[in-house]
Amino acid sequence: MEKIEGSVLSAIPMNAMALTLTRSTIRMQHSHTWGVDKSNSVHDLIICLTGSARYEVGGETIDMAPGRAMLLPANTWFSGRSTSREAYTGIAQHFTLDLFGRLDLIAQMNLKHAVTLARWEMMEPLTRYYHDNSPPYSTTLLQHHLFMFLLIEFIEQAHTGWREQSVGNVNNPDALSFSVMVAASQIAADPLGEEIVGRTIDSVPYNPDYFKREFRKRVGWTPDKFQEFKRMERAMGLMAGGCTVKRAAELSGYTDAYYFSRMFKRYIGISPQGYQQSEKRSREGAFPRGEEDGQLIYPLTR
């Protein structure tokens, strides 16, 4: 069965993460003689706009060029130097990203040190805007939101897995919440995986039945039902993009379109055909009374 890649952070509730910009943005404008040799007490995300540079980070050599993004983890010694006659420019933003107010989320991930941003045609003007408009001595709400977008783009490409779940004592509620978050993220990233739930449950340091109950308390679904709901979300996107019900069912892992339709209505609260019709009305600007904003929230029932 085809594996569908999902968002690394898609299963993490918004209010579970706290991003802090720990200083104003460094608007890099380095000449060909520039060099650095230091470490930071917090994480630092660098995105190159022009020129080039070479860094040594944790024994790895990293070449920076336009469109390249690099994470310098907290308390990691690094060195760097310009490698072009053209000015080496870009942004460097110091930050922390906490989970549940206590856990360093970046430290829980296995991340590549650097990636070439895949959507650079869109990211370049945003990065340049961030570079040109971030205040020199403070941080702003707009800056915070823009950087979160840039950071998520980096994480989505750089993430290679979660570190071993040994956050403190397993009786610690933060450790349990982290394990649930990782499990939900793994399921959401591969909703078509036939064995994804079993592998995920086997990997956590908790009794399976206990963990399933705690997963349901925090996520609202059991792991199996959460996987099925994520399949339905995939089907919704396919149908909104013009797929037939049958084709959406096939691409979401269902060989029986009738069974898919019954499950879709059970999980989403509306039939696939009804969903398609509501999407059509929404695109045409026709909404039922009481839904003038056009924003239906799915699932309709839970």
Side-chain angles (χ1 to χ4, degrees), residues 176-198:
L176 176 59
S177 294
F178 174 70
S179 290
V180 170
M181 182 274 296
V182 170
S185 175
Q186 291 171 333
I187 294 169
D190 187 16
L192 302 192
E194 294 180 356
E195 300 178 358
I196 184 63
V197 171

Side-chain angles (χ1 to χ4, degrees), residues 14-231:
M14 287 180 59
N15 59 2
M17 287 193 297
L19 171 67
T20 301
L21 307 184
T22 60
R23 59 154 295 165
S24 56
T25 303
I26 300 172
R27 300 193 232 178
M28 300 192 309
Q29 188 74 36
H30 302 315
S31 70
H32 68 279
T33 60
W34 170 83
V36 65
D37 190 6
K38 59 177 289 191
S39 67
N40 299 316
S41 60
V42 295
H43 305 302
D44 185 11
L45 182 69
I46 296 173
I47 303 178
C48 176
L49 283 168
T50 66
S52 62
R54 175 165 291 176
Y55 290 79
E56 299 291 334
V57 185
E60 180 182 350
T61 300
I62 298 169
D63 288 314
M64 292 291 285
R68 293 276 285 171
M70 174 178 65
L71 177 72
L72 298 173
N75 304 309
T76 298
W77 202 269
F78 66 93
S79 62
R81 61 181 177 83
S82 177
T83 55
S84 66
R85 303 301 296 182
E86 181 185 8
Y88 172 46
T89 70
I91 62 168
Q93 181 64 66
H94 292 204
F95 71 96
T96 62
L97 185 64
D98 294 329
L99 185 68
F100 311 120
R102 297 196 227 357
L103 299 173
D104 179 355
L105 183 57
I106 296 296
Q108 312 310 321
M109 299 177 177
N110 292 318
L111 296 167
K112 299 175 186 175
H113 278 130
V115 298
T116 299
L117 296 172
R119 301 192 289 175
W120 186 235
E121 71 284 352
M122 178 186 73
M123 301 297 293
E124 180 181 12
L126 182 61
T127 304
R128 195 170 296 281
Y129 179 87
Y130 192 87
H131 175 279
D132 295 344
N133 292 278
S134 294
Y137 303 113
S138 63
T139 59
T140 65
L141 182 63
L142 175 60
Q143 182 185 2
H144 178 281
H145 289 310
L146 288 176
F147 182 72
M148 177 61 94
F149 180 76
L150 295 170
L151 178 60
I152 288 174
E153 284 287 316
F154 171 81
I155 289 174
E156 293 298 335
Q157 288 187 236
H159 185 269
T160 60
W162 296 96
R163 295 188 177 172
E164 185 176 352
Q165 298 177 44
S166 57
V167 186
N169 189 305
V170 292
N171 294 320
N172 181 341
D174 287 341
L176 176 59
S177 294
F178 174 70
S179 290
V180 170
M181 182 274 296
V182 170
S185 175
Q186 291 171 333
I187 294 169
D190 187 16
L192 302 192
E194 294 180 356
E195 300 178 358
I196 184 63
V197 171
R199 290 200 309 269
T200 299
I201 298 299
D202 289 344
S203 69
V204 300
Y206 297 94
N207 173 275
D209 292 335
Y210 169 73
F211 184 77
K212 289 176 184 177
R213 290 195 299 271
E214 294 302 315
F215 187 101
R216 189 177 189 282
K217 287 180 184 178
R218 288 163 171 77
V219 178
W221 309 91
T222 64
D224 288 307
K225 291 186 181 297
F226 180 69
Q227 180 187 20
E228 191 129 36
F229 176 64
K230 286 298 174 181
R231 288 184 175 186

Side-chain angles (χ1 to χ4, degrees), residues 170-299:
V170 292
N171 294 320
N172 181 341
D174 287 341
L176 176 59
S177 294
F178 174 70
S179 290
V180 170
M181 182 274 296
V182 170
S185 175
Q186 291 171 333
I187 294 169
D190 187 16
L192 302 192
E194 294 180 356
E195 300 178 358
I196 184 63
V197 171
R199 290 200 309 269
T200 299
I201 298 299
D202 289 344
S203 69
V204 300
Y206 297 94
N207 173 275
D209 292 335
Y210 169 73
F211 184 77
K212 289 176 184 177
R213 290 195 299 271
E214 294 302 315
F215 187 101
R216 189 177 189 282
K217 287 180 184 178
R218 288 163 171 77
V219 178
W221 309 91
T222 64
D224 288 307
K225 291 186 181 297
F226 180 69
Q227 180 187 20
E228 191 129 36
F229 176 64
K230 286 298 174 181
R231 288 184 175 186
M232 296 305 168
E233 281 192 329
R234 172 173 168 74
M236 290 166 71
L238 291 166
M239 288 189 290
C243 270
T244 64
V245 172
K246 182 178 180 181
R247 184 58 176 159
E250 291 173 351
L251 293 175
S252 302
Y254 298 89
T255 57
D256 186 335
Y258 176 72
Y259 175 77
F260 163 76
S261 295
R262 285 198 296 119
M263 291 298 101
F264 189 93
K265 186 169 184 179
R266 176 181 298 178
Y267 279 86
I268 306 303
I270 189 173
S271 70
Q273 292 81 3
Y275 173 73
Q276 288 177 315
Q277 291 168 5
S278 68
E279 282 295 298
K280 183 174 183 295
R281 289 197 303 271
S282 176
R283 289 194 298 271
E284 294 172 350
F287 311 118
R289 183 177 297 278
E291 297 169 2
E292 286 80 4
D293 61 356
Q295 186 62 49
L296 286 174
I297 303 299
Y298 300 100

